[in-house]
Amino acid sequence: MRDVLRSLTELLDTGDARPVALCRVVGTTGSAPRELGAAMIVTEDDTVIGSVSGGCVESALVHTARDVLADGVAVVEHYGVDDPDDPAPGLTCGGQIEVLVERVSPTAQRRRHLTRMVAALDDDEPISWATTLTADTDWYLATATSQPAWRRLDRDVADLLTTGRSGLIGVDDCDAPSDERPRTFVQTFAPPARLILVGANDFVRALSSLGTSLGMRVTVVDARPVFATRARFPDADDVVVGWPDRYLAGEIRDGRVGASTAICVMTHDPKFDVPTLRVALASPTLGFVGALGSRRTVDDRRQRLRDAGLDDGQLARLRSPLGLDLGGHTPGEAAVAIAAQLIAERHRATATPLHAGTGPIHRR
């Protein structure tokens, strides 16, 4: 969408500008050909800029775009697996996508929104663009210093902005009560939240897969090349062979970690986990620091960290033993417990069962 966004801004910023149709992938299932937010522009003379599927459904979308340009009513098209016996267009990759097609007119408000987004991209400023999936779409922008004040949209958009994710929020029913939000696509232009996993074991493999599915950029780091391999961690974005404390110190020094970064030390080996935790806890920039271990291991490690010079305030940031008490034992169950804690702490939530509480499920 980044390159298409600039083209869209230029098309609408001329004296004789005409409306264009903007097609964006707002939902994916399975092996989709393009990522969320992939975009295509169709002009009134059928000029096409960009792509949403690599050629599978673009022709059909041009026809939809003509209708949307004519009547101004936005639609969401659904495309599934290609069926040779069905004349409808489909995807050969086996996935499914939803594509929002909306008419974008050269109004002052639309131009302001587009100009603001381009400026944010130029300045590397994180920004989220929320678009209601209604017949007459509404746009809202959110940055770290400016949040949309529209019903309960602000909380969910802020979360997506903080973690660098795009996705759908709201409800499908357009006739829902006025205090509900229509289904809304939030496209975020920001680095994704990071999850740094120290160790190269089965627990790390399970958590790396789950972290990726949650939209985080996952890095696995271990000093042992025989264990830290791409084959063993296929879902991780990066597999680093090196001493974890040195790697983390370099990431901190170069400004590649921040409040949206979580580090989980899962080695069970003091020669790895104590130096790494000392670096992590000495830095105020990391958002979450956790470590696996039994109660005895945790007590021993805490004393080692004190001996290494950390004070009580720094040690208070350490989440260890790591994870919520879900009663599980397997690597997959441990991964769920850890991911649940990451989510709960990000939202400052209680992590108690919803049925045990009262009031709205979605916190303001």
Side-chain angles (χ1 to χ4, degrees), residues 87-323:
L91 304 175
T92 58
C93 59
Q96 299 179 36
I97 61 173
E98 293 180 84
V99 182
L100 168 67
V101 186
E102 61 178 319
R103 183 173 69 184
V104 182
S105 299
T107 64
Q109 183 185 52
R110 291 295 199 239
R111 285 175 172 172
R112 279 198 306 273
H113 279 122
L114 294 169
T115 300
R116 179 68 182 88
M117 283 189 280
V118 170
L121 294 183
D122 288 340
D123 295 337
D124 291 325
E125 176 191 11
I127 190 168
S128 286
W129 172 18
T131 305
T132 62
L133 305 191
T134 50
D136 184 14
T137 58
D138 284 327
W139 289 5
Y140 302 88
L141 300 182
T143 66
T145 58
S146 175
Q147 302 292 340
W150 181 65
R151 300 175 187 170
R152 287 185 288 118
L153 183 69
D154 53 346
R155 179 62 182 258
D156 288 339
V157 174
D159 179 52
L160 292 171
L161 176 63
T162 299
T163 56
R165 294 177 296 143
S166 299
L168 290 166
I169 61 175
V171 296
D172 290 302
D173 186 3
C174 294
D175 296 322
S178 58
D179 63 339
E180 294 289 349
R181 303 158 302 173
R183 197 163 179 245
T184 301
F185 175 61
V186 181
Q187 183 163 9
T188 299
F189 302 100
R194 291 194 65 186
L195 177 59
I196 301 174
L197 302 177
V198 177
N201 51 46
D202 290 342
F203 292 90
V204 169
R205 182 163 58 247
L207 187 54
S208 69
S209 298
L210 189 51
T212 298
S213 72
L214 293 174
M216 307 179 80
R217 181 174 184 85
V218 178
T219 299
V220 174
V221 55
D222 194 290
R224 301 166 297 177
V226 68
F227 295 111
T229 66
R230 171 60 61 186
R232 297 189 72 232
F233 301 95
D235 294 327
D237 295 284
D238 304 293
V239 179
V240 177
V241 178
W243 285 87
D245 58 316
R246 299 172 190 171
Y247 170 77
L248 180 60
E251 295 297 284
I252 294 172
R253 181 189 64 243
D254 295 338
R256 288 192 288 265
V257 300
S260 63
T261 300
I263 181 169
C264 297
V265 177
M266 306 170 73
T267 60
H268 299 292
D269 189 335
K271 72 173 177 288
F272 291 124
D273 56 16
V274 170
T276 305
L277 289 171
R278 182 179 58 80
V279 172
L281 294 172
S283 171
T285 59
L286 289 166
F288 181 97
V289 182
L292 281 182
S294 66
R295 299 290 182 187
R296 178 181 298 179
T297 297
V298 169
D299 290 341
D300 176 73
R301 182 192 295 133
R302 192 174 294 273
Q303 185 57 52
R304 289 172 182 266
L305 289 170
R306 282 198 179 94
D307 294 342
L310 296 185
D311 58 36
D312 289 342
Q314 292 169 321
L315 290 172
R317 296 178 53 217
L318 178 59
R319 299 296 183 259
S320 187
L322 181 60

